[in-house]
Amino acid sequence: MYKRLFALILCTTVFLASCGSSGPTTTLDITMNDFQFTPNSYTVPAGKEITLNIVNNGSVVHNFVIMKLDTSAGEAFNEEDEANVFWQERDIPAGNDLSVTFTAPTEPGEYQVVCRTPGHIASGMIGTLTVVAAE
Ligand SMILES: [Cu+2]
């Protein structure tokens, strides 16, 4: 009984570890819907070229905006947030997919990702880009 329980715990731990410790990647595959990014958290190596493959499965236009470190677009993306944009891919039409590249920030940390279409942040189009020191 205990042996079986131990085996179960061990398997669960191994599964979680292999699943949770997704290291930094230079390719991001992201699906957009109304109104979320799937997945909504990403880990990339600092300063590396990142390929972003986006599919907009929603019915309206969406955006992928990375805010600068320690900034946030708040409840809604406004004019004053423009200066805090690190990088963005704007106006991705519904039903479209595209592949673009950008250079990851050189400073490790957590960067906010948002969709700047009015109302979409409030509806949940937020993500986190985690930048880790490149090896
Ligand atoms: Cu959106």
Side-chain angles (χ1 to χ4, degrees), residues 48-99:
K48 298 284 187 193
E49 185 174 271
I50 309 299
T51 300
L52 179 61
N53 301 314
I54 293 182
V55 178
N56 181 355
N57 271 342
S59 59
V60 293
V61 70
H62 290 299
N63 307 269
F64 188 87
V65 183
I66 302 171
M67 303 302 291
K68 288 179 182 170
L69 191 60
D70 297 327
T71 69
S72 156
E75 299 285 297
F77 192 96
N78 298 310
E79 238 172 75
E80 67 263 25
D81 295 313
E82 200 73 57
N84 293 329
V85 171
F86 171 78
W87 182 85
Q88 62 184 328
E89 182 63 32
R90 289 193 66 175
D91 302 330
I92 303 157
N96 267 59
D97 57 80
L98 58 90
S99 185

Side-chain angles (χ1 to χ4, degrees), residues 6-84:
F6 177 75
L8 181 70
I9 290 170
L10 186 69
C11 287
T12 307
T13 306
V14 169
F15 173 73
L16 288 177
S18 64
C19 182
S21 69
S22 53
T25 177
T26 52
T27 303
L28 303 178
D29 296 307
I30 300 169
T31 302
M32 296 166 144
N33 283 300
D34 310 333
F35 300 92
Q36 62 183 18
F37 297 108
T38 308
N40 64 5
S41 71
Y42 332 100
T43 303
V44 298
K48 298 284 187 193
E49 185 174 271
I50 309 299
T51 300
L52 179 61
N53 301 314
I54 293 182
V55 178
N56 181 355
N57 271 342
S59 59
V60 293
V61 70
H62 290 299
N63 307 269
F64 188 87
V65 183
I66 302 171
M67 303 302 291
K68 288 179 182 170
L69 191 60
D70 297 327
T71 69
S72 156
E75 299 285 297
F77 192 96
N78 298 310
E79 238 172 75
E80 67 263 25
D81 295 313
E82 200 73 57
N84 293 329

Side-chain angles (χ1 to χ4, degrees), residues 62 115 120 125:
H62 290 299
C115 175
H120 289 200
M125 288 197 81

